[in-house]
């Protein structure tokens, strides 16, 4: 008789015994409790054991998977069916069944039946779920560069193993759906359209099952700008001063820069424009242009610079040297005017100038006036011999006047001297 046939005979006998106990001894039955469903990995092992094994001696113990018998044990022997002979072990004291080298088809219901020596029947069930370990999880990102407001991004995931759940995170926080973020029905891919700069960051996708998990990460870069271009530096500087103008822009990736002075291109291609020694040709309008090679966008900013003598810091005041020069110039001018005035007075040109300034009107008015008369007292005239002129009776003084004119001819020649002297 083969081992298999003997097992079948024992099994039939036990089944008969268990059937009778179930029919006539139900009042003695109580359930065997298990802590909960068991989970196992392919190739791994699992142990089934009741939480409340009977305290009395046992006549018969039976483990089965679904309707398939695994083993039958008595107090002095254990018989395992050939299908499980190299995969199970049994502890008669704890009634624990250990199953190793697990397979996916080992998933299901496992039932324990115990017949104590005191009679009755005890039963209990537990379940097993076997999973493949999750491996090779990765994320697939768009190959093209993503530009804010223009591009769409689709991130998909893949991996091997028994996957029961998929979780998405961004920068270690849960990623939730929104108007621009949409998940696929199996939750294994996410679409973002259109992308914004706030979508930049590290995305994590985790595949899970009860016995394993694996996470893949992906950094998403959203390109934008340039924008908010600004120039920092002096507005007004002294002649000969050193000038440094710094240009900045908000851009991803970082912008490149170029400069113009008064509309003319320069060879400066950095964010800083430096003039070691300024002259007046450096005054004018400086234009900084920021360029993003990915977005193909540019933005500009203007800055006015004034180079002046003593004008550093925007104060606008004159230096002491300039003030001294102005004072000297004024003094020289005043001295020149004074010298010219003296010269004109000495050369009698001022009166002529005044006459010219008064004009013909004043001359005409004078011509219409009566001629000016000048009078002289001749009572004190002397003769050529030195004697006084006797004008007659000294008790009778009288004064004789002669009409004397300037700048013109007399109407009549003056009378002879003798005619005016009384003899």
């Amino acid at each position: 008789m083969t081992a298999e046939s003997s097992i079948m005979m024992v099994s039939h006998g036990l089944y008969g015994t268990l059937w009778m106990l179930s029919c006539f001894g139900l009042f003695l039955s109580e359930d065997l409790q298990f802590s909960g469903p068991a989970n196992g990995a392919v190739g791994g092992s699992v142990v089934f054991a009741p939480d409340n094994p009977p305290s009395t001696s046992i006549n018969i113990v039976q483990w089965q998977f679904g309707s398939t018998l695994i083993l039958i044990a008595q107090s002095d022997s254990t018989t395992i069916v050939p299908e499980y002979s190299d995969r199970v072990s049994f502890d008669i004291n704890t009634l624990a069944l250990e199953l190793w080298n697990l397979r996916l088809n080992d998933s299901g219901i496992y039932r324990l039946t115990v017949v104590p020596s005191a009679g009755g029947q005890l039963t209990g069930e537990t379940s097993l779920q076997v999973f493949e370990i999750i491996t090779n999880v990765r994320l697939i990102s768009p190959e093209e560069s993503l530009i804010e407001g223009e591009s769409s991004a689709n991130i998909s995931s893949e991996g091997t193993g028994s996957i029961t759940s998929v979780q998405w995170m961004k920068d270690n926080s849960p990623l939730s759906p929104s108007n621009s973020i949409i998940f696929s029905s199996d939750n294994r891919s996410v679409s973002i359209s259109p992308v914004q700069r706030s979508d930049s960051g590290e995305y994590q996708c985790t595949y899970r099952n009860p016995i394993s998990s694996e996470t893949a990460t992906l950094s998403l870069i959203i390109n934008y700008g340039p924008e908010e271009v600004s120039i920092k530096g002096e507005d007004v500087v002294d002649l000969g001063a050193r000038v440094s103008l710094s240009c900045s822009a908000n851009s991803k990736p970082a912008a490149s820069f170029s400069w113009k002075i008064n509309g003319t291109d320069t060879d400066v291609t950095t964010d800083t424009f430096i003039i070691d020694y300024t002259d007046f040709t450096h005054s004018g309008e400086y234009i900084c242009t920021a360029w993003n090679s990915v977005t193909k966008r540019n933005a500009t900013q203007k800055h006015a610079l004034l180079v002046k003598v003593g004008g550093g810091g925007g104060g606008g005041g004159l230096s002491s040297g300039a003030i001294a020069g102005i004072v000297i110039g004024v003094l020289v001018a005043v001295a020149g005017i004074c010298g010219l005035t003296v010269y004109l007075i000495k050369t009698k040109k001022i009166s002529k100038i005044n006459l010219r300034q008064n004009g013909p009107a004043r001359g005409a008015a004078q011509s219409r006036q009566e001629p000016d008369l000048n009078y002289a007292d001749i009572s004190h005239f002397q003769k050529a011999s030195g004697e006084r002129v006797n004008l007659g009776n000294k008790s009778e003084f009288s004064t004789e006047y002669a009409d004397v004119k300037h700048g013109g001819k007399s109407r009549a020649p003056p009378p002879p001297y003798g005619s005016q002297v009384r003899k």
Side-chain angles (χ1 to χ4, degrees), residues 390-407:
N390 186 10
L391 297 179
N393 189 3
K394 294 182 180 180
S395 61
E396 299 178 0
F397 286 98
S398 65
T399 303
E400 298 290 334
Y401 297 93
D403 185 5
V404 181
K405 294 184 177 181
H406 297 280

Side-chain angles (χ1 to χ4, degrees), residues 72-409:
I72 295 176
Q74 294 177 315
S75 59
D76 57 352
S77 64
T78 300
T79 304
I80 303 173
V81 300
E83 184 180 350
Y84 289 95
S85 61
D86 58 350
R87 298 179 56 215
V88 300
S89 63
F90 177 70
D91 187 342
I92 190 62
N93 296 316
T94 61
L95 306 182
L97 173 71
E98 182 178 8
L99 178 64
W100 60 80
N101 193 20
L102 294 176
R103 307 164 185 169
L104 288 176
N105 57 12
D106 288 331
S107 299
I109 302 298
Y110 289 77
R111 180 177 293 106
L112 171 63
T113 303
V114 177
V115 179
S117 57
Q121 175 180 309
L122 303 175
T123 61
E125 291 183 352
T126 188
S127 64
L128 171 66
Q129 184 68 45
V130 180
F131 299 92
E132 290 181 320
I133 295 176
I134 296 174
T135 57
N136 303 320
V137 178
R138 71 186 188 102
L139 292 177
I140 303 171
S141 65
E143 296 182 358
E144 68 276 5
S145 298
L146 300 175
I147 300 176
E148 182 182 44
E150 297 181 7
S151 305
S152 297
N154 185 66
I155 307 174
S156 59
S157 63
E158 61 181 27
T160 59
S162 303
I163 301 165
T164 58
S165 67
V166 179
Q167 182 183 27
W168 289 87
M169 307 275 284
K170 177 181 178 292
D171 298 328
N172 298 317
S173 297
L175 182 65
S176 302
S178 66
N179 291 335
S180 60
I181 300 177
I182 300 174
F183 292 91
S184 62
S185 57
D186 60 2
N187 209 35
R188 297 193 183 188
S189 65
V190 59
S191 177
I192 307 173
S193 180
V195 293
Q196 302 296 327
R197 69 186 67 181
S198 58
D199 296 320
S200 295
E202 185 179 72
Y203 288 76
Q204 303 102 18
C205 179
T206 302
Y207 281 13
R208 283 191 176 90
N209 62 35
I211 53 94
S212 66
S213 67
E214 188 170 294
T215 299
T217 62
L218 170 71
S219 292
L220 200 65
I221 298 174
I222 310 301
N223 302 282
Y224 59 88
E227 57 190 35
E228 301 174 4
V229 181
S230 64
I231 300 177
K232 294 182 179 180
E234 300 86 350
D235 298 322
V236 181
V237 297
D238 290 332
L239 181 66
R242 185 179 187 274
V243 172
S244 177
L245 302 179
S246 177
C247 187
S248 63
N250 188 12
S251 178
K252 186 71 174 184
S256 59
F257 298 94
S258 61
W259 293 81
K260 288 184 179 182
I261 303 179
N262 297 324
T264 302
D265 291 328
T266 69
D267 58 357
V268 179
T269 57
T270 63
D271 60 346
T272 304
F273 194 105
I274 297 176
I275 306 171
D276 291 323
Y277 189 90
T278 55
D279 57 40
F280 292 118
T281 62
H282 292 125
S283 292
E285 183 180 67
Y286 288 70
I287 300 177
C288 173
T289 300
W291 164 259
N292 187 317
S293 59
V294 177
T295 64
K296 308 301 181 185
R297 299 171 184 169
N298 66 74
T300 62
Q301 183 58 271
K302 298 178 181 179
H303 181 86
L305 177 66
L306 176 62
V307 179
K308 60 187 300 186
V309 175
L318 295 174
S319 66
S320 58
I323 295 174
I326 293 173
V327 171
I328 293 172
V330 171
L331 293 176
V332 170
V334 171
I337 293 173
C338 292
L340 179 61
T341 303
V342 172
Y343 171 77
L344 292 177
I345 291 174
K346 288 184 177 181
T347 56
K348 298 182 180 180
K349 291 183 178 182
I350 291 181
S351 60
K352 293 181 180 180
I353 293 173
N354 290 337
L355 180 59
R356 293 191 191 101
Q357 289 176 348
N358 291 335
R362 182 176 178 182
Q366 290 179 348
S367 66
R368 288 194 297 268
Q369 296 176 356
E370 292 295 329
D372 294 332
L373 297 179
N374 296 298
Y375 299 94
D377 185 357
I378 62 173
S379 61
H380 303 288
F381 283 10
Q382 295 179 348
K383 295 181 181 181
S385 60
E387 298 179 359
R388 290 178 59 86
V389 176
N390 186 10
L391 297 179
N393 189 3
K394 294 182 180 180
S395 61
E396 299 178 0
F397 286 98
S398 65
T399 303
E400 298 290 334
Y401 297 93
D403 185 5
V404 181
K405 294 184 177 181
H406 297 280
K409 296 181 179 181

